[in-house]
Amino acid sequence: MLSRMTGFIKMSLAGAIVFALGLGSAGAAETIKIGAVAPKTGPLAVGASITHWPNIKLWVSQVNGRGGLRMKDGSRRKIQLITYDDQTNPTEHIKATIRLATLDKVDFIVAPYGTGFNVAAAPHFAKYGYPQITSTSITDKIPQLTKRFPGLFFTLGNTTAFVGSVVEILAKLRDQGKIGNRVAIVNVAADFGIELKKASIPIFKKAGFNIVYNKSYPLGTQDLSPVMRGVKASNPDAFVAWSYPPDTIGLTVQAKIQGLDVKAYYSAVATAFPVYRNKFGKSIEGVLGAGGLNLDSPALQTYMADHKRVTGKEADFWASPVVYATLQVLEQAIEAVGSTDRKAVTAYIKSGTFTTVMGTWKFKNQVIPSFWTVGQWQNGKFYGVSSTGMPGEKPVAIKRGW
Amino acid sequence: MTRNEGIGWMLAVAGFGAMAFLPLLEDADYLMGLALNITMFTVLATSWALFSGPTHYISLATAAFYGVGATVVAMGFEVLPFPVLLGLAGLAGGVLAALVGLATLRLSGVYFVIFTLGLAELIRQLVSWVQSNIVEVGSIQVFTDNSDNWIYWELLALAALVFLVGWLIERSRLGFAMRIIGNDEVVASHSGIHSAGSKVILFVISGFFAAAVGAVMVTKIINFDPDTFYLPIISFQVVIMALLGGVHRLWGPLLGVIPFTLLWEVIENRFQQPMEMFGVEIVSAGSLKVILLGVCFMLIVYYIPRGVVGRVETLARRLAPGGGASHG
Amino acid sequence: MAENALLEVQGVSKHFGGLVAVDQISFTLRHNEVLGLIGPNGSGKTTMINLISGALRPTMGDIFMGDRLISERPARFIARLGIARTFQLVRLLPSLSVLENVMAGAVFGHKRLWGREARKYAARLLERVGMGHAIGMPLLALTYIDQKRVELARALAADPDILLLDEWLAGLNATELKLGIDLVQTLRQEGRAIIVVEHVMDAIRSLCDRCIVMNSGAMIAEGSPGQVLADPAVIHAYLGDSHA
Amino acid sequence: MDVLITGIYILITGSLLGATYSLIAMGLALQYGVARIMNLANGEMFIAGALVAFWVVTSHQLSPYVSLVFVVPGAFGINWLIYRYLLRPLVRRAKHRGQLEVDSILATFGMGFILVGVLREVFGGELFSYSYLLEPIKILNNNFALNRVIGCLVSALVCGLLYLGFYKTRAGMAMRAVAVDPAAAGLVAIDVPKISALSFALGGAVTAAGGVVISTFLTDMDPSGGVVFTLKALIVVIMGGVGDVRGAIVASFILGLTETLVATLVDPGFILAAAYFLFVLVLLFRPQGLFGRRRA
């Protein structure tokens, strides 16, 4: 009796709200509904508009161009994409994820943009049994997180490996006598920047480097000239910036103005963005940055061309194809299972082998162990120069002025 | 207790009872999400109005308090039990409010608005600096035993508490003092009222509640990172909801929170998918929401300066023969 | 002279930019005394009241209440010590009821009552100033004279030792004036000291024990009403002004 | 020697920054000081100017300063309309200054949000950054960006013109009179509504021009990033003394120098904290501002 009462109340409440909000759009029966929540506005919108959203658009248009995803019974189901803007606000993000799961009743959800949002969304993906194949998420807490959330996957790498590669490259250049022992480090005082910095200091010290400058600046700092002046005054041989999109550009501006003459110049996120090259042209030759790709791979070349053609924008040289690859994983898992059974799809992702633009992927404890860590601008392209077991690493070149 | 108050109490108890019952329904996650949002903003907007209603000061500090509350929990959840942290968070919000209040509340309202406008950003930068240079932690994952249902009940309890506190203030010397200050500050001080002090006390109370909400919410959002907790938009939302509802009645903000939250929901649902017009994508929900926020501000200034409550009261007065003032 | 003094004003001046509104005034107010503060318009009387009540701070000089220096303290502090005032232009609290207006004095002033006690006390004071009938009336329905009475009741509600009445009798008709003067008399009989700023000569003569005459901020005469009103300097100040 | 060079660096960088702040602050000083409108949409107008310059540079390959030709009259017109049709009614209905302040804060806040939404729609959520005169210039053994130095000169030019206009023309005198006392100004046959509208529009135009100048060296012009500039402008105007153009200029330089000093010698993380510290000092010790008169 009570349960019937509550059932009635629930139905009428939900009905009233659905009616009031004009929800409950009746989608075509033959589609697979896929949801995506990420920033279209707010501080992270810039990164998402370059790395995240275009790939979803590209993937959906390609899959639907093929006629849709192939099901067990041989039929094809097109993708109906439902997107929400979280405004770079975690409260809004969670709300939108719940809305996708409960109101839109989507079959799958694309993992969010950024490490923090992936963590925030993880309990909700887990609750509704959605696999969460993250692409733009790097952290050293992968083992704890994957243990806690069995449907959570990582593909872009971890902090220590990222930092390790940078130190390794610098150590090698030093040992070859190409640069000296003095390194200047700056970081943006925001989650990723702080984590990278924290991980890097002991590794630099262990490798015998002399850290001559180590300061942070707040996210959104407009004038980085005092920072770069301090860096220059410390007279470093190598410069490392654990930076984010706007300040990656701001630092380069000031490096040019102050004439920071180092033979190794590294900045983190956004160095791989085409907009970085567009702004500075040839002067960024030799700049090292997070990411990099094997641009000689034919699969990747096709992807890059398609990306440009379909979205009208160039893909970035780091996480863009990884985002796309995670969608390929989802696609291949759904087709292999032949249905939208989320449990089966998740299980398949854990054990299956996938052919992606990033090469052949097979998850090991929910993690793709091979990934690019450092890239370098060489002849107007951002090649991978260091990785954990990716094919096609290019040799590192010395930076010669701006 | 007057008859009106009796009815008010019954309504309040019934309302809270019904809301508390919500998590027991099966499959009501969406409703829960909506209810959580409404509850959260009810606490924030009502506590905001406790201060801003009688003083007419526009505080944009909510995001700062909210962030401080979240920060306290994120920093301490591994060492201290959550209830203790909740208290500490509220305390931290109160202390911050006291400092800000003592520096600015002696002066005209403009100084206060300006000071609070950048406060969240200031504290975000300071917390980030500490995270980067002292504790060397980027983002913190706040995994607690706080389940979704409990988080909702905690917010609901805070809402009940904020109404209780508001009701008690109305009946206290402090509430009486605030009404006098709102009428004439010179008379207030010549009657022996410490007007700056009274304002600071109210601001501290509103800071306490906003920080407590932040403390609860961080256990829901799990990932703590100053950039996503010291969000100025929270302050703006709270101001608009409270003013839309009306700040001169305790239950006024509630009448702003509910329609505004639902309106945002409608926009979310209706305008989320990019629309194409002449081959260009136009009006995404994000921009539309910001525009709506702006339109609401202007609507309040030009058409409903006393909020929905004011409208309702005017209407009631017009309908009631004799036209006596209705004091609730 | 100072032993019996309740309030002592010592060499107080107030400057507004270049303007000297009050110029080195000294006087004392004794227990149980009605002191008249008179002088032409703009002579600095209201400024003097503002300095005593704490609305303004003196540029120079000290004001003591008993042994306590009050001239550096804020108005709320002075109010709580037991100095209450009315305003030249009535200041009531429009969104509060008549009763609540009076309660404001009782709740926060010298007396600090609360709840039923404060309400009863305020109601009694309203009776006392002849406004018992107005308890339930909206404030805006009151005449100006009645508003003045409510304001006096509010000042009295604090149970002050010193009462500052800034032209409280101005604008009353003959009957009202008579009642008003009687009321002030009874207040004095209760043991309060009162400073009245007045223009109504009848009131000054029948009420004041002593008068201080101000002109252009300075004190030009002091003494009994009869004495000061016969003082040539005072006559000149008044007539000079009225001819100007 | 190093100390001297650093000192020179702080002085020049601080001045370059101060010159930029002075443009935003001048705009607000005109709007708040003369027209009595506490305009919280100031920063958004500023960003709008910057984005128009961005558009001129990226899609027409012109110098950003070319955009001044239509940004200034455009902003003037828009702000005049805003004052005439949205703010004038508020001025007219306000019973006292406090009410006008609350009303104008809320109304302009609303306008700011609408502007943010519109700018986002028009320009999208991308990274707005272009390169203009990105070259070092050596002054007294320190390197500075040429675009900043040029920007500073343009700012100084605009400020100079405004200063002359304010102190040497009839309209300027009328504005100063209105700033001191609108009621008295009305008595001496000054058309207060007209002068207020003119000041508000001029303030908006100056602010948008400031946006154009800063776009030449800003890394990212986020449509929703205006609030930081609003805040800085407000601090400068309060510090300088409301309605005082000279005060606004002096305060801009104090803020610019303090920020650079802190960023160079202490830590870049405390720039905003330094601005707040100045603000608190002013609030505690000189709420009427450096050049302002104490209000009775």
Side-chain angles (χ1 to χ4, degrees), chain A residues 10 17 22-23 83-85 87 95 99 103 116 123 127-128 141 187 189-191 197-198 216 219, chain B residues 26 29-31 37 124 128 132-133 136 139 141 221-223 225 227 265-266 269-270 272-273 289:
Chain A
K10 183 189 71 194
I17 287 188
L23 307 171
T83 63
Y84 289 115
D85 174 13
Q87 302 139 45
K95 233 173 63 189
R99 189 182 306 116
L103 277 190
K127 183 176 178 188
Y128 301 105
K141 290 168 193 141
N187 73 286
D191 55 356
K197 187 211 53 176
K198 191 193 175 194
S216 69
L219 187 65
Chain B
E26 279 170 54
D29 290 9
Y30 177 71
L31 281 181
N37 228 33
R124 175 187 76 82
S128 295
S132 183
N133 296 286
E136 296 204 310
S139 50
Q141 279 74 49
I221 292 164
I222 294 174
N223 192 69
D225 141 27
D227 304 324
E265 250 347 87
V266 173
N269 289 297
R270 281 286 161 100
Q272 204 40 262
Q273 314 321 315
K289 278 156 99 172

Side-chain angles (χ1 to χ4, degrees), chain A residues 51-395:
Chain A
T51 307
H52 194 79
W53 289 115
N55 284 297
I56 296 175
K57 188 176 176 185
L58 171 65
W59 178 67
V60 170
S61 87
Q62 287 184 333
V63 169
N64 287 347
R66 284 196 285 273
L69 294 167
R70 192 192 306 278
M71 297 289 106
K72 216 176 343 192
D73 55 10
S75 68
R76 278 181 177 273
R77 289 171 67 180
K78 286 197 173 180
I79 294 172
Q80 184 197 346
L81 180 68
I82 300 172
T83 63
Y84 289 115
D85 174 13
D86 64 25
Q87 302 139 45
T88 323
N89 177 340
T91 317
E92 295 290 328
H93 188 99
I94 291 174
K95 233 173 63 189
T97 306
I98 295 176
R99 189 182 306 116
L100 281 176
T102 58
L103 277 190
D104 302 319
K105 297 201 187 320
V106 295
D107 298 301
F108 293 96
I109 303 179
V110 178
Y113 176 77
T115 311
F117 284 86
N118 270 297
V119 174
H124 303 280
F125 272 75
K127 183 176 178 188
Y128 301 105
Y130 291 105
Q132 183 181 2
I133 319 165
T134 71
S135 44
T136 44
S137 181
I138 297 179
T139 169
D140 271 346
K141 290 168 193 141
I142 290 177
Q144 295 97 296
L145 288 169
T146 47
K147 206 169 140 205
R148 198 176 182 109
F149 304 111
L152 182 61
F153 300 88
F154 287 90
T155 60
L156 199 63
N158 61 59
T159 320
T160 306
F162 257 79
V163 170
S165 284
V166 174
V167 179
E168 210 172 276
I169 286 173
L170 297 185
K172 213 176 193 176
L173 290 174
R174 179 194 59 192
D175 296 344
Q176 290 166 353
K178 288 178 179 161
I179 62 169
N181 202 28
R182 299 165 66 84
V183 57
I185 302 171
V186 300
N187 73 286
V188 58
D191 55 356
F192 191 43
I194 296 171
E195 259 189 49
L196 287 168
K197 187 211 53 176
K198 191 193 175 194
S200 72
I201 301 290
I203 304 180
F204 271 115
K205 284 192 176 145
K206 206 175 149 209
F209 279 100
N210 178 14
I211 299 168
V212 292
Y213 187 89
N214 176 13
K215 269 199 178 148
S216 69
Y217 53 84
L219 187 65
T221 304
Q222 284 295 355
D223 184 9
L224 289 162
S225 115
V227 177
M228 194 47 82
R229 192 174 179 280
V231 168
K232 192 175 182 228
S234 72
N235 194 23
D237 300 306
F239 172 72
V240 175
W242 308 117
S243 55
Y244 266 174
D247 38 88
T248 294
I249 289 177
L251 284 168
T252 306
V253 165
Q254 290 305 328
K256 287 184 70 159
I257 298 299
Q258 303 287 339
L260 179 74
D261 193 14
V262 286
K263 296 203 170 64
Y265 179 102
Y266 173 95
S267 51
V269 186
T271 315
F273 287 179
V275 63
Y276 184 70
R277 178 198 56 207
N278 298 347
K279 179 164 172 102
F280 298 109
K282 283 201 185 90
S283 60
I284 57 166
E285 185 70 16
V287 167
L288 295 158
L293 292 171
N294 176 14
L295 294 171
D296 300 332
S297 142
L300 205 58
Q301 284 170 353
T302 317
Y303 159 79
M304 289 279 187
D306 288 344
H307 191 287
K308 179 93 211 255
R309 185 170 43 81
V310 174
T311 68
K313 290 175 185 173
E314 262 187 280
D316 81 51
F317 295 97
W318 176 24
S320 275
V322 179
V323 175
Y324 186 79
T326 61
L327 297 169
Q328 288 183 301
V329 168
L330 185 64
E331 171 188 345
Q332 288 163 28
I334 294 171
E335 291 196 331
V337 171
S339 77
T340 55
D341 178 351
R342 297 201 276 269
K343 225 180 207 158
V345 169
T346 309
Y348 186 85
I349 296 170
K350 282 189 182 174
S351 59
T353 306
F354 304 90
T355 314
T356 74
V357 290
M358 293 301 293
T360 305
W361 271 7
K362 186 166 170 52
F363 287 93
K364 202 170 160 186
N365 297 328
Q366 298 157 248
V367 178
I368 296 294
S370 54
F371 48 85
W372 288 103
T373 51
V374 182
Q376 185 172 40
W377 285 101
Q378 296 178 1
N379 301 318
K381 282 184 175 167
F382 196 67
Y383 288 97
V385 294
S386 182
S387 69
T388 59
M390 296 294 283
E393 287 181 16
K394 293 256 182 205

Side-chain angles (χ1 to χ4, degrees), chain D residues 150-185:
Chain D
I150 302 277
C152 176
L153 294 178
V154 173
S155 301
L157 187 73
V158 176
C159 285
L161 285 176
L162 271 180
Y163 189 86
L164 284 181
F166 215 56
Y167 285 96
K168 302 279 179 227
T169 67
R170 266 185 88 81
M173 199 167 81
M175 282 182 192
R176 280 186 295 144
V178 174
V180 173
D181 188 341

Side-chain angles (χ1 to χ4, degrees), chain B:
Chain B
M1 198 181 288
T2 65
R3 201 171 134 246
N4 270 346
E5 266 186 334
I7 294 171
W9 272 99
M10 272 158 62
L11 276 176
V13 170
F16 276 104
M19 292 287 277
F21 181 63
L22 203 56
L24 301 179
L25 302 179
E26 279 170 54
D27 259 350
D29 290 9
Y30 177 71
L31 281 181
M32 267 276 287
L34 211 56
L36 183 100
N37 228 33
I38 287 177
T39 314
M40 169 180 139
F41 278 110
T42 301
V43 182
L44 292 176
T46 309
S47 62
W48 184 89
L50 283 185
F51 165 73
S52 289
T55 59
H56 308 296
Y57 281 84
I58 299 167
S59 160
L60 297 172
T62 312
F65 299 137
Y66 178 89
V68 163
T71 309
V72 168
V73 173
M75 297 286 176
F77 77 101
E78 278 168 331
V79 243
L80 290 170
F82 181 71
V84 177
L85 284 172
L86 190 60
L88 281 180
L91 204 66
V95 169
L96 177 64
L99 291 175
V100 173
L102 289 174
T104 55
L105 285 177
R106 299 171 300 126
L107 301 164
S108 99
V110 175
Y111 297 80
F112 180 74
V113 176
I114 299 167
F115 197 90
T116 55
L117 176 67
L119 190 65
E121 176 66 10
L122 173 71
I123 297 176
R124 175 187 76 82
Q125 292 196 2
L126 294 179
V127 172
S128 295
W129 187 87
V130 169
Q131 285 200 322
S132 183
N133 296 286
I134 312 273
V135 292
E136 296 204 310
V137 183
S139 50
I140 302 169
Q141 279 74 49
V142 186
F143 288 116
T144 57
D145 304 330
N146 227 353
S147 74
D148 277 3
N149 285 354
W150 271 108
I151 288 169
Y152 173 70
W153 281 322
E154 282 158 13
L155 286 177
L156 210 55
L158 278 176
L161 190 63
V162 87
F163 278 110
L164 186 67
V165 168
W167 183 75
L168 288 174
I169 289 175
E170 257 178 32
R171 300 164 55 90
S172 72
R173 277 168 189 267
L174 179 62
F176 190 43
M178 288 323 296
R179 285 175 62 205
I180 297 168
I181 293 168
N183 270 279
D184 190 331
E185 232 176 302
V186 174
V187 170
S189 60
H190 280 92
S191 306
I193 294 170
H194 193 318
S195 61
S198 311
K199 289 177 199 165
V200 171
I201 292 174
L202 282 186
F203 194 45
V204 165
I205 291 172
S206 84
F208 174 91
F209 277 104
V213 171
V216 174
M217 285 306 285
V218 75
T219 65
K220 174 154 187 85
I221 292 164
I222 294 174
N223 192 69
F224 172 79
D225 141 27
D227 304 324
T228 48
F229 268 88
Y230 292 90
L231 284 174
I233 187 84
I234 296 175
S235 308
F236 306 146
Q237 276 171 278
V238 166
V239 173
I240 207 69
M241 288 180 192
L243 291 176
L244 190 66
V247 292
H248 59 287
R249 288 279 176 275
L250 185 57
W251 42 274
L254 189 64
L255 295 192
V257 169
I258 294 172
F260 197 85
T261 316
L262 293 180
L263 201 56
W264 271 43
E265 250 347 87
V266 173
I267 293 179
E268 285 283 341
N269 289 297
R270 281 286 161 100
F271 299 95
Q272 204 40 262
Q273 314 321 315
M275 295 190 293
E276 301 236 334
M277 200 177 270
F278 312 114
V280 203
E281 282 187 5
I282 57 145
V283 180
S284 64
S287 318
L288 201 65
K289 278 156 99 172
V290 175
I291 292 173
L292 173 76
L293 206 58
V295 170
C296 279
F297 266 109
M298 301 188 65
L299 213 61
I300 287 168
V301 176
Y302 293 101
Y303 297 106
I304 41 172
R306 282 166 66 80
V308 176
V309 174
R311 282 271 146 152
V312 171
E313 282 176 349
T314 318
L315 203 69
R317 218 169 298 143
R318 225 174 273 160
L319 292 179
S326 61
H327 278 287

Side-chain angles (χ1 to χ4, degrees), chain C residues 33-53:
Chain C
E33 181 183 41
V34 176
L35 178 70
L37 197 53
I38 61 179
N41 286 330
S43 59
K45 305 181 300 284
T46 295
T47 307
M48 193 62 234
I49 295 290
N50 282 337
L51 289 168
I52 298 172
S53 76

Side-chain angles (χ1 to χ4, degrees), chain D residues 199-272:
Chain D
S199 307
F200 190 85
L202 190 62
V206 173
T207 305
V212 171
V213 171
I214 210 171
S215 80
T216 60
F217 51 84
L218 211 58
T219 320
D220 180 26
M221 290 155 265
D222 178 5
S224 42
V227 74
V228 180
F229 296 102
T230 308
L231 185 71
K232 297 267 170 83
L234 290 168
I235 292 179
V236 165
V237 169
I238 300 287
M239 191 160 53
V242 172
D244 194 302
V245 173
R246 287 164 310 167
I249 295 174
V250 173
S252 299
F253 280 89
I254 293 177
L255 183 66
L257 284 171
T258 310
E259 288 192 355
T260 313
L261 195 78
V262 168
T264 312
L265 300 182
V266 187
D267 192 294
F270 298 134
I271 293 177
L272 189 64

Side-chain angles (χ1 to χ4, degrees), chain C residues 138-160:
Chain C
L139 205 60
L140 295 174
L142 298 186
T143 61
Y144 186 68
I145 305 305
D146 284 353
Q147 291 189 11
K148 284 197 139 187
R149 294 203 232 187
V150 173
E151 199 190 29
L152 178 63
R154 182 178 70 208
L156 286 176
D159 191 17

